[in-house]
Amino acid sequence: MKIAFVGKGGSGKTTLSSLFIRHLAATAAPVVAVDADINQHLGAALGLDEAVAAGLPAMGERLGLIKDYLRGSNPRIASADTMIKTTPPGEGSRLLRVRESNPVYEACARTVELDGGDVRLMVTGPFTDADLGVACYHSKTGAVELCLNHLVDGPGEYVVVDMTAGSDSFASGMFTRFDITFLVAEPTRKGISVYRQYKEYARDFGVALKVVGNKVQGQDDLDFLRAEVGEDLLVTVGHSNWVRAMEKGHPPRFERLEDANHRALRTLRSAADATYELRDWESYTRQMVHFHLKNAGSWGNERTGTDLAAQVDPGFVLSEGVVATA
């Protein structure tokens, strides 16, 4: 299942995504975790030393390798240079699977050992001083979007993406690449503002959206969230001594997380697993093509000097049954 965590800055989005990743790993589930947030804190939240986390290989710096591998023998793509972040797969493209080894994982992923299991962690890379004035962060998350376009995952497999804060993910079609999106919201007016934006933008694309209320301290907070988000409120999370210890760099064993928070994580997993039966690969592929054509017309054709609409394979539907190019 492909799962996104979104929310405004400071909502606890990265903390909750790291807890969910730990929960999955504790059951030995195969997990690919992706830090697509501009602040790049997921590695540290998973227990990595700050220096180690900062040294993780950046997907944005390996975009050429990613494109070259995913292109495969697809005759509709003249060269890796003509691929953009929305380029869809077609006959001859190489696909990514959660459990496999491949050159993309070898170059961009690192195994993070957690108590009870391990996960593959991939990061977009930070927004650096060299990017100021010449780039936007979406040029880095484009590597993530391209990988998601070529990813085939099955039941019991998880790809968890910690997205950039706020509604910035709507600058591309990446918000449609997930089976479910968990929006982390504090019980404040600012806390739910991103929810309202997300709900409005995602309405026409069938995005499965559930709200995780965070920093909920009492019935008043719960009543506020229920009044503002209604049935989209899936679960709430309150104060956690375990999280406080983790944020100080000394997390106890994960099994010692509070029972209420373990129950909340199980609820998130159940909600994610339930979306598997609702998958519509044809719709998923159509959305992919829609955003590719939109990006091609607005900037991609001019940037590459190529009619990128020709990259669309009209007979191709991404699905678990597709046999990838070796």
Side-chain angles (χ1 to χ4, degrees), residues 88-138:
E91 188 69 30
S93 296
R94 292 192 180 99
L95 305 178
L96 301 176
R97 310 259 175 180
V98 173
R99 301 173 191 259
E100 69 180 1
S101 295
N102 59 57
V104 173
Y105 290 157
E106 290 169 7
C108 302
R110 294 295 180 266
T111 299
V112 178
E113 302 288 342
L114 301 170
D115 48 2
D118 59 66
V119 302
R120 277 174 169 156
L121 175 61
M122 304 171 73
V123 303
T124 59
F127 197 71
T128 65
D129 289 343
D131 296 320
L132 295 176
V134 297
C136 72
Y137 193 65
H138 304 118

Side-chain angles (χ1 to χ4, degrees), residues 74 76 88-92 281-282 285-286 289 309-319 322:
N74 187 335
R76 295 177 179 273
E91 188 69 30
W281 285 105
E282 290 188 358
T285 304
R286 283 197 302 272
V289 169
Q311 293 181 343
V312 176
D313 185 341
F316 182 86
V317 175
L318 187 67
S319 72
V322 173

Side-chain angles (χ1 to χ4, degrees), residues 63-65 67-68 71 77-85 87 299-300 303-306 308 311:
L63 187 55
L65 179 150
K67 289 180 177 181
D68 194 56
R71 175 189 169 218
I77 303 175
S79 69
D81 291 338
T82 64
M83 293 179 75
I84 62 174
K85 63 182 181 179
T87 295
W299 62 271
R303 178 82 57 85
T304 63
T306 303
L308 297 179
Q311 293 181 343

Side-chain angles (χ1 to χ4, degrees), residues 182-203:
F182 293 131
L183 189 146
V184 181
E186 299 169 88
T188 64
R189 293 175 62 186
K190 287 184 178 180
I192 63 166
S193 62
V194 174
Y195 161 77
R196 289 175 174 163
Q197 289 179 306
Y198 229 98
K199 185 77 171 178
E200 179 181 354
Y201 293 157
R203 182 176 292 116

Side-chain angles (χ1 to χ4, degrees), residues 153-230:
D153 58 309
E157 299 176 336
Y158 300 90
V159 178
V160 182
V161 182
D162 181 20
M163 299 280 279
T164 193
S167 56
D168 282 352
S169 59
F170 287 101
S172 73
M174 192 159 67
F175 73 97
T176 66
R177 301 297 86 201
F178 302 100
D179 293 289
I180 192 166
T181 295
F182 293 131
L183 189 146
V184 181
E186 299 169 88
T188 64
R189 293 175 62 186
K190 287 184 178 180
I192 63 166
S193 62
V194 174
Y195 161 77
R196 289 175 174 163
Q197 289 179 306
Y198 229 98
K199 185 77 171 178
E200 179 181 354
Y201 293 157
R203 182 176 292 116
D204 295 333
F205 295 95
V207 172
L209 179 67
K210 289 296 180 182
V211 173
V212 182
N214 193 28
K215 305 177 186 178
V216 174
Q217 298 182 10
Q219 189 64 42
D220 286 348
D221 287 344
L222 181 58
D223 290 344
F224 175 83
L225 287 171
R226 283 176 173 165
E228 295 293 338
V229 308

Side-chain angles (χ1 to χ4, degrees), residues 253-320:
R253 290 191 61 81
F254 185 64
E255 62 192 23
R256 297 179 61 185
L257 181 72
E258 297 84 359
D259 289 343
N261 291 329
H262 273 301
R263 289 195 298 272
L265 295 173
R266 288 195 293 270
T267 299
L268 295 184
R269 184 174 186 173
S270 294
D273 288 344
T275 63
Y276 179 76
E277 298 300 327
L278 304 176
R279 279 186 168 183
D280 183 342
W281 285 105
E282 290 188 358
S283 176
Y284 185 83
T285 304
R286 283 197 302 272
Q287 288 179 348
M288 193 187 310
V289 169
H290 167 78
F291 283 104
H292 179 61
L293 295 178
K294 188 175 181 180
N295 278 266
S298 64
W299 62 271
N301 291 342
E302 182 177 0
R303 178 82 57 85
T304 63
T306 303
D307 179 10
L308 297 179
Q311 293 181 343
V312 176
D313 185 341
F316 182 86
V317 175
L318 187 67
S319 72
E320 291 175 55

